[in-house]
Amino acid sequence: MKKYIAALSTTALISVAPHALASSTDLTVTGTITPVACTPSLSNGGIVDNGKISAKDLKPTLHTLVGKHPLQLTVTCDAPAQFALNPIDNQAGTGSTRTWFGLGLTDAGEKLGWFSVEIKNTIADGVVAHAIDSDDDGKTWKRTWVSSPGYLLSTGSATDPSTPIAVQALTMDFEVATRIARADSLTLTDEVTMNGSATFEMKYL
């Protein structure tokens, strides 16, 4: 990606007129239009259904794992491209832990729990690769086994996890684990609906 630097030039004017010198500043708008288009998708329409869980089966003083479900992420591009996915928690601030994605609130305003996304396998153009993430908007990357809100998710080679590689066809096998907060922190006199939601936004690097 080309980077454009706005040049600042200064001039001096000596005037015999008693008027003040005018000053100004420039606004420069830059960007790149890429000819490559990539489309992400999730198996099963991106839906994880944990069914109905009885309140009496929840642990009173510990979080309770109520389900683990496989899900596959695929990204298909017109041509090899460097890209990342930005995981956005659509229920931000509702997770019982800040690291993972929230499940929404109870009617009493209590944080219901969270779900995590573990990455089991990564295949880039038919070759084993590694998932990598960045918490500084792509300046640095490291290998990861999970996807978390606030961390860009990309793909590195099996030998160098520090740099995103260009990929045309990517698959990542996810395991989505759902956990409910300790039962003694929740009001469970009526049915409570889990409402976890995350968006994986495409970003071209």
Side-chain angles (χ1 to χ4, degrees):
M1 181 181 292
K2 296 182 179 178
K3 292 185 181 294
Y4 297 89
I5 300 175
L8 173 65
S9 60
T10 60
T11 59
L13 174 65
I14 300 175
S15 173
V16 295
H19 300 294
L21 296 178
S23 62
S24 64
T25 185
D26 293 330
L27 168 65
T28 302
V29 179
T30 67
T32 301
I33 298 175
T34 175
V36 178
C38 297
T39 303
S41 63
L42 287 164
S43 61
N44 199 40
I47 297 173
V48 171
D49 186 358
N50 289 287
K52 284 199 173 186
I53 294 98
S54 173
K56 69 180 179 58
D57 293 330
L58 300 178
K59 298 175 183 178
T61 59
L62 297 171
H63 67 256
T64 304
L65 175 65
V66 296
K68 282 188 176 183
H69 294 81
L71 210 62
Q72 188 175 78
L73 168 76
T74 62
V75 179
T76 305
C77 302
D78 297 335
Q82 282 184 310
F83 60 83
L85 293 163
N86 179 30
I88 301 168
D89 185 356
N90 297 324
Q91 293 284 10
T94 70
S96 302
T97 175
R98 295 169 56 188
T99 306
W100 308 118
F101 302 91
L103 289 176
L105 302 174
T106 67
D107 291 340
E110 302 146 342
K111 296 178 180 180
L112 183 57
W114 71 93
F115 68 93
S116 59
V117 178
E118 187 174 348
I119 303 165
K120 294 294 188 180
N121 298 293
T122 302
I123 303 294
D125 295 329
V127 178
V128 174
H130 289 313
I132 58 177
D133 68 7
S134 172
D135 63 355
D136 56 10
D137 201 31
K139 295 181 179 66
T140 59
W141 298 87
K142 68 180 187 316
R143 187 174 178 182
T144 186
W145 289 265
V146 296
S147 179
S148 301
Y151 287 74
L152 291 180
L153 178 64
S154 190
T155 310
S157 70
T159 56
D160 181 12
S162 65
T163 305
I165 59 175
V167 180
Q168 185 167 358
L170 172 71
T171 61
M172 285 185 178
D173 293 328
F174 288 169
E175 184 176 75
V176 181
T178 306
R179 291 174 169 84
I180 303 300
R182 48 190 292 169
D184 64 1
S185 69
L186 302 173
T187 302
L188 300 172
T189 53
D190 296 306
E191 281 197 349
V192 179
T193 301
M194 298 180 205
N195 194 24
S197 174
T199 299
F200 289 82
E201 177 187 56
M202 178 66 63
K203 294 178 70 73
Y204 298 98
L205 303 176

